[in-house]
Amino acid sequence: MKVPQMTQDTAGHGKASVGRGQGSPSNEPSFSQIIGAQRVRFSSHAEARIERRGVKLTEDDLRRLGDAVDRMQEKGVKDALVYMNNNVAMVVSVKNRTVVTALDSASAKENIFTNIDSAAIL
């Protein structure tokens, strides 16, 4: 998935677009708008991986991810591997509610995930 333009605060004057396609109108909500309303944030590294690997996440995917992080947090999980049914694997810092990295199924195949204490399959 191509990650749409990111937004940033500009000295209290609202939001300014950053990146390619600056100023071009779009009918679709940007990735940053979708994740801005979610309970889990994405590191810049994770966002770059999502864009580069063409990973597609819907609002429903992000809601389910947030629900899973909520449940894992209740159980005291610190770092988890979350595998979603659209063949996306994410390493999530549950404590910080942050997706650290994301992989498509081709990239995740035969990889070893370390420093996690839990896994969730959604």
Side-chain angles (χ1 to χ4, degrees), residues 14-115:
K15 302 277 185 180
S17 294
V18 177
R20 289 183 286 159
Q22 194 166 355
S24 60
S26 172
N27 294 335
E28 293 184 25
S30 70
F31 185 67
S32 63
Q33 289 170 326
I34 292 171
I35 64 172
Q38 300 303 316
R39 302 177 313 249
V40 178
R41 74 176 201 86
F42 286 68
S43 70
S44 57
H45 173 79
E47 285 184 16
R49 291 283 177 105
I50 286 169
E51 180 178 357
R52 187 171 50 241
R53 293 178 172 151
V55 172
K56 295 185 188 249
L57 295 173
T58 65
E59 289 184 51
D60 184 57
D61 292 334
L62 296 172
R63 181 193 52 76
R64 291 185 307 120
L65 175 62
D67 291 346
V69 170
D70 289 343
R71 290 191 318 267
M72 288 186 284
Q73 201 166 33
E74 290 171 3
K75 294 182 181 283
V77 173
K78 293 181 177 116
D79 296 292
L81 174 68
V82 176
Y83 189 82
M84 303 191 74
N85 63 356
N86 55 353
N87 296 321
V88 177
M90 292 178 263
V91 176
V92 180
S93 168
V94 176
K95 178 183 173 185
N96 298 322
R97 302 189 66 83
T98 302
V99 175
V100 177
T101 193
L103 304 95
D104 58 6
S105 60
S107 300
K109 190 175 183 178
E110 297 190 32
N111 272 321
I112 296 172
F113 296 91
T114 60
N115 299 324

